[in-house]
Amino acid sequence: MNVSRLQLLGILGILNVFWAPVNFFVPFALTSFEVGTFLSLRWGLFSLLLWALIAVPSFRKATGYIAPSNRGKGIAFLMGFLFQAPAHIFFTQGLAMSTASETTVLNLAAPLVVAGLSVLFLSERPTPRLYASIFVVLLGSYWVALGFSAPHLSTENARGNLMYLLGVLCESFAVVGATRVVRASSGLGALSWEVTGAGLGQMLAPFLFGSVISHGFTGPLQVSSVLAVAYLVIFPSVLAWGVWYAIAERVPLSFMMVGLGLQGPLAAALGYFWKQERWALATWVGLGAILVGLGIAATDRTKLPTHSDPV
């Protein structure tokens, strides 16, 4: 991939533009669909649309699609079925039983977990500079989300926080596991099988865990709900995840996680324009810290390992 680290961070920043509004669109979807139905629709349509694109020869050629080996297909599928599908169930249920501020604290663990798993399972060796970048970005993200106050995890919300943390861990495992397949085939090759597993898992969940995950409609079908699902399927899913995994073919995953730090400021910007939420001093300081962290990452020279085990 013949682009500089600064350009890569720019691309990752654009992906965050699609990911940041997700939590704004989900409530619109849930005005018509129960949680189980919504997740089934999102991941099922994600899978179908991705496979429809892959069926087009010109699309495969333009994206450098390479199908994984049979073993690689199985691994990617299981990453989706066993980890990605439960992750989003845990996210949704955990958020309902906790608060947005508390789950934001738990979300900050993702870059650290992925960086650690990348060392263990992908043989990546992040430089001290990259670790420093991750720390500065996480600190800035915390200030943007929660200000300068100390974290507080309520004991009343302990169950919800535990479920949300399980979601963070499950998604981290899914991404790292699928990335092994990516580097032995192609980004879309691995993503297509991972999403198929996740879609099947989401479709089965309401029937297997009906007492926990509701299935059906919450009210009359509304246009806003349909548009919300359409957005969530196309932009943060097919487009953003497709580009993410394409980048992961040649860029250390630990480096890519730094780019996720932009989600906090973008979400705060959406809150300002959408809900007239004013930016506090901590938001501006946090944004500055994130930009400093990204600047540090732009000069990092962490490379992919020169060897990879066949998958």
Side-chain angles (χ1 to χ4, degrees), residues 182-245:
V182 166
R183 291 175 184 166
S185 55
S186 65
L188 288 178
L191 178 63
S192 57
W193 287 96
E194 181 189 1
V195 172
T196 300
L200 180 60
Q202 297 289 10
M203 290 180 203
L204 291 176
F207 302 100
L208 296 175
F209 309 102
S211 61
V212 178
I213 305 168
S214 52
H215 189 59
F217 294 88
T218 56
L221 185 62
Q222 299 183 22
V223 174
S224 59
S225 299
V226 174
L227 293 177
V229 171
Y231 174 86
L232 293 169
V233 168
I234 295 170
F235 294 101
S237 299
V238 174
L239 180 57
W241 275 111
V243 174
W244 172 275
Y245 274 160

Side-chain angles (χ1 to χ4, degrees), residues 29-38 40-41 206-207 213-219:
L30 295 179
T31 57
S32 295
F33 304 109
E34 295 283 3
V35 171
T37 303
F38 161 65
S40 298
L41 278 173
F207 302 100
I213 305 168
S214 52
H215 189 59
F217 294 88
T218 56

Side-chain angles (χ1 to χ4, degrees), residues 252-271:
L253 195 57
S254 48
F255 171 85
M256 294 173 63
M257 294 303 294
V258 175
L260 296 182
L262 288 170
Q263 281 194 44
L266 287 170
L270 282 171

Side-chain angles (χ1 to χ4, degrees), residues 68-118:
S69 65
N70 289 335
R71 183 168 180 263
K73 292 174 183 176
I75 291 173
F77 180 88
L78 289 175
M79 289 299 106
F81 187 81
L82 297 178
F83 294 104
Q84 195 69 267
H88 285 264
I89 294 172
F90 287 140
F91 285 147
T92 306
Q93 298 288 65
L95 186 58
M97 298 162 61
S98 183
T99 64
S101 60
E102 292 186 26
T103 54
T104 297
V105 175
L106 300 174
N107 228 20
L108 296 178
L112 294 176
V113 173
V114 170
L117 293 175
S118 298

Side-chain angles (χ1 to χ4, degrees), residues 121-123 179-180 182-185 304-311:
F121 297 108
L122 300 177
S123 300
T179 300
R180 282 183 60 87
V182 166
R183 291 175 184 166
S185 55
L304 284 180
T306 56
H307 68 282
S308 61
D309 298 328
V311 175

